[in-house]
């Protein structure tokens, strides 16, 4: 009886995995391979002549911390930025389109704080929500659950529009992530034109 139950559980797992793959296709990296959980990637602009990869940015507004998510500037030698690791919100081995995940830069910073991305409060002056690091939201918080969507050109955009798994969380004010330039720094923010990215395995 125990062996029969185990077999049924295995069959159910295979069916669930197959259904998930058909419903939510995998996000593909620059080599056409599925974006995998726990693997380091560079997040690069889809248009290579715009700037470099995503990295940690100091706004230099009187305080070093927290650090914001920004983009390396266009320079004679363009930097690929800092690698990130994606972690699906639900158990899976790959990152799938429109499905929630958390994302964090690898390594340590001078702030000795979390490097996980999080949506900040709306800035009263600019009306934008900046994507920053250094916070420690609870696992159930929607503030650090992002997803990736494919645009009309077949390129990938970051989006913040968390799926509610508990059935009791309020619907967030969704937004696409784009790049804005402030004080000569390129910052990743919501509530603006979306910016397409590609993902290259480190």
């Amino acid at each position: 009886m125990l062996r029969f139950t185990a077999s049924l559980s295995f069959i159910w797992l295979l069916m669930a995995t197959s259904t998930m793959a058909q419903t939510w296709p995998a996000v593909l990296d620059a080599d056409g391979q599925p974006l995998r959980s726990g693997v380091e990637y560079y997040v690069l602009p889809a248009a290579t002549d715009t700037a470099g990869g995503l990295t940690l940015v100091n706004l230099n507004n009187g305080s070093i911390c927290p650090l914001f998510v920004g983009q390396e500037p266009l320079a004679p030698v363009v930097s690929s930025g800092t690698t990130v690791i994606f972690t699906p919100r639900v158990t899976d081995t790959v990152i799938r389109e429109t499905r929630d995940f958390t994302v964090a830069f690898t390594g340590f910073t001078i702030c000795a704080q979390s490097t996980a991305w999080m949506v900040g409060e709306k800035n009263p002056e600019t009306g934008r929500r900046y994507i920053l690091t250094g916070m420690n939201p609870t696992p159930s918080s929607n503030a650090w659950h992002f997803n990736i969507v494919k645009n009309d050109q077949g390129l990938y955009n970051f989006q913040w529009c968390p799926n509610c798994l508990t059935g009791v969380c309020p619907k967030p004010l969704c937004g696409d992530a784009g790049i804005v330039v402030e004080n000569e720094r390129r910052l990743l923010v919501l509530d603006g034109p979306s910016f397409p990215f590609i993902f290259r395995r480190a």
Side-chain angles (χ1 to χ4, degrees):
M1 181 65 179
L2 181 61
R3 181 177 298 175
F4 178 73
T5 303
S7 298
L8 283 179
S9 298
F10 180 71
I11 292 172
W12 180 88
L13 179 61
L14 285 178
M15 292 175 62
T17 303
S18 176
T19 300
M20 181 181 295
Q22 293 175 11
T23 306
W24 300 292
V27 175
L28 303 180
D29 66 18
D31 296 319
Q33 300 300 311
L35 211 64
R36 298 204 168 272
S37 171
V39 175
E40 293 186 24
Y41 292 92
Y42 292 103
V43 182
L44 305 169
T48 56
D49 59 347
T50 57
L54 295 186
T55 189
L56 291 156
V57 173
N58 173 18
L59 290 186
N60 195 25
N61 56 358
S63 176
I64 296 176
C65 305
L67 295 170
F68 288 70
V69 179
Q71 189 179 28
E72 295 281 4
L74 187 63
V77 179
V78 180
S79 171
S80 296
T82 306
T83 56
V84 301
I85 288 178
F86 299 96
T87 304
R89 189 175 182 183
V90 297
T91 303
D92 200 352
T93 58
V94 301
I95 305 301
R96 301 185 183 278
E97 293 179 28
T98 74
R99 303 302 290 167
D100 289 351
F101 58 80
T102 59
V103 54
F105 289 111
T106 58
F108 300 95
T109 72
I110 57 175
C111 294
Q113 296 175 330
S114 170
T115 58
W117 297 12
M118 182 177 176
V119 176
E121 297 294 329
K122 181 172 288 189
N123 185 301
E125 296 181 2
T126 65
R128 296 173 177 143
R129 289 172 292 173
Y130 297 81
I131 299 175
L132 66 160
T133 67
M135 306 299 170
N136 291 292
T138 62
S140 61
S141 170
N142 278 334
W144 64 330
H145 291 128
F146 295 85
N147 58 66
I148 293 172
V149 295
K150 187 178 288 185
N151 64 22
D152 294 338
Q153 289 75 44
L155 302 174
Y156 293 117
N157 299 129
F158 283 107
Q159 185 183 71
W160 184 74
C161 194
N163 297 303
C164 182
L165 299 183
T166 63
V168 296
C169 57
K171 185 67 175 177
L173 180 62
C174 301
D176 293 323
I179 297 292
V180 299
V181 180
E182 293 184 6
N183 298 323
E184 300 182 354
R185 289 172 174 79
R186 300 178 66 86
L187 302 172
L188 188 65
V189 303
L190 298 181
D191 314 312
S194 58
F195 189 95
F197 291 98
I198 61 173
F199 312 97
R200 189 174 301 281
R201 189 163 180 163

